[in-house]
Amino acid sequence: MRPAIALVVLLAACGRVPDTGPVATPVDPATLSSEKQFLSEIDRTMGTRDCFTVVRDGRFVPAAEAPRMRDDERVLGVDLGGVTIAYPILYLNQVEIVEHTAAGHDLLVCWCPLCGTGVVHERRADGRPLTFGHSGWLWRNSFLLYDRETDSLWHHATGTAMTGPLRGNRMARFPATSVMTFAAWRQEHPATLVLAKPLAPEAPVETDPYALRNSHAAWGLSLEVPGAPRFYPFSALREIDAVEDDAAGTPVVVVRDAGASLASAYDRRVGGATVSFEVVPGPRPQLREKGGTRAWFLRSGAPVAGSGAEAPLRPFPATHFERNAWEAQHPAGSTWRRP
């Protein structure tokens, strides 16, 4: 483990930094292909620069006031610590990039409907905030951004600059981010804000144009551990599940709640000890400590009141991912298989 990463993990475990804050992970230069090689692999046939209109400083409203939302539609949610925000995926399909400021952070929200990735970055690098646009290009089925300040190309999911003056920089990422249905997110975060969909009736935010294509794809959860990316196929996970694993020496639990369209991951270390869990099904599923009484809500990691759990579980950076795209982008990664 790199010293900077170890420090972040140690401080989070001690409760001295909020688990919801962005995590900065240095880039190992050895993992970057040459600019020439990277540029040779880009698919330039899919679109043109700024083919998607970035939402900048959009309108955010309480959940009860969010227009055109259905309980069963999915959102990309982020917990900033005291501020929670839901971004409707039916809207993100049309824009792919959202920039705004919340809870003192300059946020960059990225959604790729082809590889199914949803991430939230702190859009800062080289000591300054950046402004992004869509390059119109794909790399291994993943879209690339460019920043207007230096024209560097960035991988949207990792937040890494792959070419240009900022090559090798990586934006910090918010790990407390997940995809789930709007009803499930609102249940976990009743005070959430929602990125308001356009009010114009002709705006195409009622249906998913990628639904047919994506119905034939294989999906899973990508766990982003430095030096050890790991893929958990949904086909190997139960409808509601908690899988305990080791990720580069760190004990993790990967959870799934298919009814809420959710999969995410948490650190199993609680108060300096490694905990094993069992799933408690129900309208709001829980993770309960095996042999104990402490419990946490499966969808958010929040402690269940009265159970003896005192702090939330620490989330790991993870996102849904289309399997072929994940394998292409993580050639040294591994795929979990149920023992």
Side-chain angles (χ1 to χ4, degrees):
M1 183 179 289
R2 294 176 178 275
I5 300 170
L7 179 60
V8 169
V9 171
L10 176 61
L11 291 178
C14 295
R16 291 167 55 191
V17 295
D19 291 346
T20 51
V23 175
T25 306
V27 174
D28 182 354
T31 64
L32 288 179
S33 58
S34 69
E35 286 195 61
K36 182 178 179 181
Q37 176 65 31
F38 181 79
L39 290 169
S40 72
E41 296 178 359
I42 290 177
D43 180 353
R44 296 172 170 82
T45 66
M46 298 300 291
T48 59
R49 177 168 282 206
D50 298 321
C51 54
F52 288 85
T53 302
V54 177
V55 174
R56 292 190 172 89
D57 298 319
R59 186 168 68 97
F60 292 85
V61 299
E65 300 173 19
R68 308 174 69 177
M69 294 294 297
R70 302 193 313 268
D71 281 350
D72 63 344
E73 69 175 275
R74 296 182 303 157
V75 298
L76 171 62
V78 63
D79 184 347
L80 301 173
V83 176
T84 55
I85 304 172
Y87 308 89
I89 287 176
L90 292 178
Y91 189 15
L92 293 181
N93 281 338
Q94 308 299 323
V95 299
E96 298 198 357
I97 303 169
V98 176
E99 288 185 354
H100 69 111
T101 300
H105 296 286
D106 297 310
L107 302 182
L108 171 68
V109 181
C110 296
W111 169 258
C112 181
L114 295 180
C115 55
T117 50
V119 294
V120 181
H121 302 290
E122 179 94 78
R123 54 183 176 89
R124 301 183 65 89
D126 199 28
R128 55 177 166 168
L130 300 176
T131 306
F132 287 89
H134 200 298
S135 71
W137 296 344
L138 299 178
W139 178 74
R140 300 179 182 177
N141 221 31
S142 179
F143 79 81
L144 300 173
L145 309 115
Y146 73 94
D147 70 82
R148 293 185 172 184
E149 287 73 17
T150 73
D151 207 34
S152 299
L153 279 177
W154 300 73
H155 186 280
H156 86 277
T158 65
T160 302
M162 307 300 291
T163 70
L166 294 180
R167 171 179 161 83
N169 280 269
R170 176 180 284 165
M171 292 177 282
R173 175 174 170 176
F174 290 88
T177 305
S178 55
V179 170
M180 66 181 84
T181 62
F182 183 48
W185 177 263
R186 197 171 63 248
Q187 184 181 38
E188 296 296 324
H189 308 283
T192 189
L193 296 175
V194 181
L195 173 64
K197 295 178 181 177
L199 296 174
E202 65 273 12
V205 292
E206 303 295 349
T207 59
D208 182 357
Y210 301 93
L212 180 60
R213 179 261 184 194
N214 288 343
S215 67
H216 300 292
W219 299 91
L221 184 75
S222 172
L223 185 63
E224 299 296 333
V225 176
R230 196 149 169 80
F231 184 78
Y232 297 82
F234 290 163
S235 60
L237 298 172
R238 301 184 182 97
E239 292 291 296
I240 183 164
D241 210 349
V243 169
E244 295 177 2
D245 199 11
D246 180 278
T250 299
V252 302
V253 58
V254 173
V255 300
R256 186 184 185 211
D257 181 354
S261 297
L262 165 80
S264 55
Y266 303 108
D267 193 327
R268 289 172 52 210
R269 294 171 297 184
V270 178
T274 299
V275 175
S276 286
F277 299 99
E278 57 186 359
V279 175
V280 181
R284 192 180 179 191
Q286 299 176 14
L287 292 173
R288 184 168 59 203
E289 180 182 14
K290 289 182 179 178
T293 62
R294 292 184 298 179
W296 296 260
F297 290 110
L298 180 146
R299 297 169 183 165
S300 64
V304 175
S307 71
E310 297 179 349
L313 298 175
R314 189 173 72 89
F316 263 107
T319 179
H320 293 199
F321 227 114
E322 192 273 324
R323 183 166 189 161
N324 290 334
W326 186 88
E327 290 177 345
Q329 294 174 41
H330 301 85
S334 61
T335 299
W336 177 84
R337 290 174 175 81
R338 186 176 291 277

